[in-house]
Amino acid sequence: VHDNNTNCSRVIVGPATFTRQEHEQILIYPRQCIAIPPCHYCVIENPVIRVSAGAIVRDEHGQVKVRLGDKEIRLTQEPFPLYPQEVLVNDEILPLRVLAPNTALRLKALRDFEGRSAGDEWLFEGPATYIPKIEEAIIEEICATVLRPN
């Protein structure tokens, strides 16, 4: 709902009965909340800024603050709505990747994080479940080659 008096948008999460005021405009009609099943994830563009307790940060006018141009990976959680400017990338929820024994993912850092510099490459070895991060990209999946004498 967009308030034309304050020029701010807000999300109304239901079930609720909402009566639109004359100075308000409905931007997006009701949609289902996004539910991520176990062992799945989704990528959100322009995510809202949250404090450590999970509360959403708002400016002095009540508008939610977003990290424009950034992305966020959300794992299994309670169903959630998309706030203004948030976008579900490709409108899809993806399964987590499970690596078999003797396989690995070759990863590359896209930006500095956790002691790694942009451009660093390393292996994530299986058996394990790979939880993706925005700061890294998968280059390829590698299978182990067993060397025997002769």
Side-chain angles (χ1 to χ4, degrees):
V1 176
H2 182 75
D3 188 332
N4 291 322
N5 288 345
T6 61
N7 200 27
C8 290
S9 299
R10 68 182 192 276
V11 173
I12 298 172
V13 181
T17 300
F18 173 71
T19 304
R20 184 183 67 87
Q21 303 295 318
E22 191 148 328
H23 62 277
E24 294 176 331
Q25 176 183 4
I26 296 177
L27 297 176
I28 299 171
Y29 283 90
R31 305 190 267 186
Q32 294 251 337
C33 286
I34 297 171
I36 305 173
C39 297
H40 285 71
Y41 73 98
C42 70
V43 181
I44 304 291
E45 283 184 348
N46 305 325
V48 295
I49 299 172
R50 296 179 187 271
V51 292
S52 59
I56 295 170
V57 176
R58 298 179 185 274
D59 64 9
E60 64 272 6
H61 305 291
Q63 183 80 19
V64 294
K65 290 187 174 186
V66 296
R67 297 188 323 244
L68 288 174
D70 203 1
K71 292 181 181 177
E72 177 180 271
I73 291 184
R74 295 188 186 166
L75 300 170
T76 303
Q77 58 181 295
E78 291 292 319
F80 61 91
L82 289 177
Y83 284 86
Q85 300 181 19
E86 281 189 320
V87 177
L88 178 62
V89 175
N90 298 330
D91 287 327
E92 63 183 350
I93 296 173
L94 304 167
L96 292 175
R97 198 164 185 171
V98 179
L99 296 175
N102 296 326
T103 61
L105 291 177
R106 191 167 132 213
L107 303 174
K108 182 176 183 178
L110 300 176
R111 50 182 152 177
D112 296 348
F113 77 104
E114 296 176 5
R116 300 191 189 274
S117 299
D120 286 355
E121 292 187 7
W122 68 98
L123 293 178
F124 178 82
E125 298 177 2
T129 300
Y130 173 69
I131 298 175
K133 295 181 182 162
I134 291 299
E135 298 88 2
E136 59 194 30
I138 298 173
I139 297 174
E140 65 179 328
E141 184 172 337
I142 301 170
C143 292
T145 303
V146 179
L147 299 175
R148 295 199 171 114
N150 297 328

